[in-house]
Amino acid sequence: MRLGTQQGVGVVTNPYVIPPPLDGQPSCWACFGLRKLRRTYTGNALWVRRTSDNVEVEVGFDASGEVSMDSPIADVTEFTTSPSSSGDHGGTATLAGFSSSTDVHVVKWLDQSGNDRDVYNTTGAQQPKLISSGSFVTDPINFDGTDDWFTSASRLDNSNDRQTILAVVKKDTGTGSMGLVSCMDNFNDGSELFATSNYWSYRLNTTDLEDFSGGVAQISNTSKELVVASYTPAESSNEQKLRVNGSLILQQNCTANLNVGSRFLAISKRVSTNALYEWNGGISEVIIWQEALTSAQLSYVEKNVMDHHNI
């Protein structure tokens, strides 16, 4: 069982009480988290900006492999806004010292896969929040549902069509359409995992996997959830699947040809080339594979994630 503290974002008391979920698992296309997702990853977790003076730093992991107030910080080599003094964070060595009593927003979420597929937003008003008045926001990283989102310079190439998308989220209020993970240039070409009318939907080109009547796909507004969308064209039926909190909730036949090599990855919006339908709530982990995981692989990753997040 994981033990947390008020200082951290789910901080464990000993290093890797729950190991990184991707250790020993298939290589992913990209992965983002507030903990180490791969033990061999040696980079930082985030690039953040404090609002008091727009100084930006990178945020590392604490001794437990988590983002916490004890996380070390480091200068960044370039700036997306205009800091009052380039790289000057007052000699502070930790996120607590850097944030002090101000707000901190996320400029860039660093990809831990080793593929350098970071997601980012260079506009300050559109950057999701990590810290408010010196304390972690509830359910970080928190997107405001209005204009907070990330995009990427990387194109999600699904030339083999296989795909698995995993996300850990906590949705706040609102029942409209909200993007979570998208790789679409319009609403009928590509793939996306999103919310609509407070239900989960997984779209592959024009084929939607959703159910607004039975309630099995309804999204919680009170609890953190693990959602997994997958497409396995090699199967003879039920190629398109949705899972929530370790259970299969929806599946259907699908013969979509994704071919989305020209579509940029986006988090917290539905269409990657436009700021549309942003997520309202927290997103704490996103992992994307260009594979459909085996039952054993998926079971391991789901259990690891749910144990860590107390889902």
Side-chain angles (χ1 to χ4, degrees):
M1 179 179 177
R2 185 171 55 80
L3 300 176
T5 74
Q6 292 182 342
Q7 273 201 317
V9 185
V11 178
V12 291
T13 54
N14 295 300
Y16 306 120
V17 171
I18 298 174
L22 297 180
D23 285 359
Q25 301 305 308
S27 298
C28 62
W29 184 83
C31 58
F32 313 93
L34 296 173
R35 60 167 172 155
K36 273 199 173 186
L37 301 177
R38 296 168 53 241
R39 196 184 304 261
T40 57
Y41 177 66
T42 58
N44 291 320
L46 304 166
W47 179 340
V48 302
R49 173 184 62 88
R50 69 183 174 200
T51 57
S52 59
D53 55 9
N54 286 328
V55 168
E56 299 177 357
V57 296
E58 288 196 17
V59 180
F61 300 96
D62 65 15
S64 299
E66 302 278 344
V67 171
S68 76
M69 288 299 183
D70 294 327
S71 287
I73 60 173
D75 291 335
V76 295
T77 56
E78 58 181 310
F79 293 89
T80 56
T81 55
S82 299
S84 57
S85 53
S86 179
D88 179 11
H89 44 82
T92 55
T94 65
L95 183 56
F98 174 75
S99 61
S100 184
S101 59
T102 191
D103 294 350
V104 175
H105 292 256
V106 180
V107 178
K108 184 182 291 188
W109 206 355
L110 301 177
D111 175 24
Q112 297 185 39
S113 71
N115 297 320
D116 296 322
R117 294 182 171 120
D118 306 334
V119 292
Y120 55 87
N121 197 315
T122 59
T123 302
Q126 298 173 343
Q127 294 163 357
K129 186 176 286 187
L130 181 71
I131 291 171
S132 178
S133 300
S135 299
F136 281 108
V137 297
T138 303
D139 304 312
I141 300 169
N142 193 269
F143 297 77
D144 65 7
T146 302
D147 57 4
D148 290 355
W149 52 273
F150 287 136
T151 190
S152 173
S154 298
R155 294 175 170 89
L156 179 55
D157 179 8
N158 272 102
S159 56
N160 63 10
D161 282 341
R162 299 189 298 272
Q163 178 181 92
T164 303
I165 300 172
L166 178 152
V168 179
V169 302
K170 164 57 175 64
K171 181 178 172 295
D172 291 339
T173 57
T175 58
S177 185
M178 298 180 191
L180 181 53
V181 179
S182 173
C183 188
M184 304 191 89
D185 277 346
N186 51 57
F187 290 111
N188 60 10
D189 190 6
S191 64
E192 62 171 334
L193 174 60
F194 65 104
T196 184
S197 300
N198 217 34
Y199 289 84
W200 288 117
S201 294
Y202 177 37
R203 172 169 289 188
L204 300 173
N205 294 340
T206 58
T207 304
D208 289 337
L209 178 57
E210 57 193 10
D211 181 1
F212 301 149
S213 59
V216 295
Q218 189 165 6
I219 303 171
S220 172
N221 289 326
T222 59
S223 302
K224 187 178 288 188
E225 291 188 308
L226 165 65
V227 58
V228 178
S230 64
Y231 181 46
T232 315
E235 295 184 357
S236 57
S237 63
N238 293 321
E239 296 89 350
Q240 188 178 8
K241 294 181 173 66
L242 257 177
R243 300 173 60 87
V244 175
N245 298 340
S247 297
L248 178 66
I249 61 166
L250 293 174
Q251 60 181 350
Q252 68 182 12
N253 297 341
C254 181
T255 58
N257 178 8
L258 297 186
N259 191 25
V260 293
S262 63
R263 280 61 171 171
F264 291 101
L265 170 66
I267 292 177
S268 179
K269 63 175 180 175
R270 288 199 55 192
V271 180
S272 59
T273 54
N274 296 286
L276 292 172
Y277 307 112
E278 289 81 1
W279 184 258
N280 186 18
I283 305 176
S284 53
E285 285 184 18
V286 174
I287 306 173
I288 302 168
W289 290 267
Q290 286 185 293
E291 298 290 340
L293 303 187
T294 67
S295 296
Q297 291 165 345
L298 184 56
S299 177
Y300 173 84
V301 173
E302 285 180 329
K303 183 179 187 306
N304 177 287
V305 171
M306 289 191 293
D307 285 350
H308 177 83
H309 291 281
N310 289 330
I311 295 174

